[in-house]
Amino acid sequence: MRYRMVCILLLLGLAGGACVPGVRAGSRCRSTDYGDDGAFVLRCDRGRWVGVASKAQVAQLVVAVLRARNTTSTAAPVSSSPPVTTFSSAVSISSGSSHACALLGSGTVKCWGASFGQQLGYPAYGMSNTANSAIGVTGAVAVASGQWHTCALLTDRSVECWGTNLYGGLGNGSTADSATPVKVSGLSGGIALAAGVYNTCALVIGGTVFCWGNNGSGQLGDGSTTGSSSPVQVVGLSGVTAITAGEGYACALIQGGSVKCWGYNGNEQLGGGTEFTNSTLVDVVGVTGATSISAGRWHTCAVLVDRTAKCWGYNRFGQAGELPSVLTVATPKLVAGVTGASAVTAGFDHTCALVTGGAISCWGYNVFGQLGNGYLSSYVAVPVLGVVGATAVSAGDNHNCALFGGGTVKCWGQNNSGQLGNGTNTDTRVPTLVPGLN
């Protein structure tokens, strides 16, 4: 029955390709086919199977589509969004794979984009191209968007998460998905969050780190590859000032400017170590005086005290700052064209840095316009046209969102799931306003 539901979706024109049964999320693939791993419908995305929807969501979507096609009413289509609501100014932003969220000064969170994993925190019929409140989130002071889930740090320094929970990435001791916030079990004293693919990490008072969720590549850092639906401490890590999570790995910025990483290392994204996976800490070789770090899917970048940027890991499109002919960058590479940087953010195959004057420079893959400058990919940083006065930038898979003074947010790049939040599903190479954020 599961495969039949997937095929129904394909026949209804909601997806392209063919049904491929019995594949595993994260495994390699060579086409744009759809498949099934027993729990999720999967899509081949740049050589890896990634989740699109759970079995229950597929069933609901099939029923909704069939009902819509057998009625003459003017009801909104399945992919439509909830009504737009006006909300107070944004104070921070976080982009997930194909969604984004803004933390508001009121302590609430509003999200937009893909919602197949319930990561928006409200009923969005598969996606929403407008921003709406994550139901039940109050008193938030930070937000972190992963691939299929989102988490918020609250004023009491506890953490709540919502969305897909296949490997326990919501941290509440279960693997049941939740469209509304659930409390992360046993975690207190949180000061920062990082959400990856099916896993989450929290920096707590005292400079230690706890992680939970998928651990197949050792990304929980507890010396094992056994997953956990509740927080476990990263062994041997102390003095941490910032954390970041990619696909199957995570990194920490240490007081004094060194960086340590752990987890999947198939593309040299740990910046050291010789093992394919590392469930214990690896020192990033050649990075000192770091002030900001960010993990993309399979590459990592850091801003240094001299306000330049170095990257390492997967580099097929120049996202690590090297000629694309160099597939992986094992030793951190100084990115040409980056000066005056204060922060860096890594996406799937591209990277952006916040630089002097609130400008933004990006490099890497540019098919969807995520570099905000022309049509060509670039291993040299290029300025996002027309951007000044930005105070933060956050990269998703193929899109970016930037925060500006006064609490406005602008996004650009891929928009197939409404991740730009501008009321359309059209890609744009020019930053466009997310309505209602000021």
Side-chain angles (χ1 to χ4, degrees):
M1 180 62 181
R2 178 166 62 248
Y3 305 131
R4 184 175 298 173
M5 288 189 295
V6 178
C7 291
I8 289 174
L9 282 173
L10 297 173
L11 291 172
L12 289 173
L14 294 180
C19 300
V20 180
V23 297
R24 181 171 59 87
S27 60
R28 295 188 180 277
C29 50
R30 297 184 179 180
S31 72
T32 56
D33 289 344
Y34 281 70
D36 186 290
D37 73 343
F40 274 73
V41 178
L42 304 175
R43 175 171 57 86
C44 188
D45 187 355
R46 298 193 193 174
R48 296 277 183 174
W49 288 105
V50 297
V52 175
S54 68
K55 293 184 292 184
Q57 290 163 344
V58 170
Q60 293 168 1
L61 192 55
V62 168
V63 171
V65 172
L66 291 176
R67 284 177 177 172
R69 293 202 171 185
N70 286 312
T71 181
T72 58
S73 72
T74 57
V78 172
S79 61
S80 66
S81 303
V84 178
T85 56
T86 302
F87 51 101
S88 61
S89 298
V91 295
S92 70
I93 52 173
S94 177
S95 292
S97 292
S98 297
H99 78 290
C101 295
L103 170 66
L104 309 183
S106 60
T108 58
V109 172
K110 298 221 171 182
C111 302
W112 58 94
S115 187
F116 294 107
Q118 304 184 88
Q119 62 266 46
L120 302 188
Y122 60 87
Y125 313 104
M127 67 182 72
S128 174
N129 57 24
T130 56
N132 288 267
S133 294
I135 297 171
V137 179
T138 59
V141 295
V143 62
S145 303
Q147 185 178 37
W148 301 105
H149 73 294
T150 309
C151 296
L153 177 66
L154 307 183
T155 52
D156 64 0
R157 300 196 182 278
S158 65
V159 175
E160 292 181 343
C161 299
W162 58 95
T164 296
N165 198 25
L166 181 62
Y167 297 99
L170 302 190
N172 65 334
S174 81
T175 55
D177 297 350
S178 179
T180 55
V182 295
K183 187 78 71 175
V184 174
S185 304
L187 186 73
S188 61
I191 56 177
L193 297 175
V197 179
Y198 302 126
N199 72 293
T200 316
C201 293
L203 170 61
V204 302
I205 294 172
T208 56
V209 175
F210 289 80
C211 299
W212 57 93
N214 189 18
N215 197 30
S217 298
Q219 59 264 53
L220 301 190
D222 65 344
S224 78
T225 54
T226 302
S228 176
S229 58
S230 57
V232 296
Q233 187 169 353
V234 178
V235 176
L237 198 57
S238 61
V240 178
T241 60
I243 53 174
T244 185
E247 182 171 346
Y249 77 107
C251 297
L253 177 61
I254 311 300
Q255 187 174 9
S258 62
V259 177
K260 295 179 183 288
C261 299
W262 59 97
Y264 178 61
N265 197 34
N267 294 290
E268 311 284 0
Q269 59 265 56
L270 301 191
T274 58
E275 300 297 325
F276 192 77
T277 61
N278 293 263
S279 58
T280 56
L281 302 178
V282 172
D283 292 316
V284 177
V285 178
V287 172
T288 58
T291 60
S292 171
I293 57 171
S294 181
R297 278 301 180 91
W298 300 314
H299 74 290
T300 315
C301 296
V303 171
L304 307 183
V305 70
D306 64 359
R307 305 189 71 179
T308 59
K310 284 186 174 181
C311 298
W312 57 97
Y314 192 57
N315 188 60
R316 181 182 177 188
F317 300 100
Q319 63 265 40
E322 181 60 275
L323 285 165
S325 57
V326 180
L327 189 59
T328 60
V329 176
T331 302
K333 164 75 175 178
L334 195 66
V335 180
V338 177
T339 59
S342 58
V344 66
T345 179
F348 195 115
D349 287 325
H350 78 287
T351 315
C352 295
L354 181 66
V355 298
T356 304
I360 296 172
S361 294
C362 300
W363 58 98
Y365 194 54
N366 196 33
V367 166
F368 301 103
Q370 57 265 55
L371 301 193
N373 187 316
Y375 293 85
L376 299 177
S377 299
S378 176
Y379 73 96
V380 175
V382 296
V384 177
L385 298 178
V387 171
V388 293
T391 58
V393 59
S394 181
D397 272 4
N398 296 302
H399 77 285
N400 308 296
C401 292
L403 178 67
F404 294 82
T408 60
V409 174
K410 293 182 178 181
C411 302
W412 64 99
Q414 189 175 31
N415 197 29
N416 62 327
S417 297
Q419 56 264 55
L420 303 189
N422 63 0
T424 77
N425 291 89
T426 304
D427 300 348
T428 177
R429 301 172 188 278
V430 179
T432 59
L433 184 69
V434 179
L437 291 176
N438 60 353

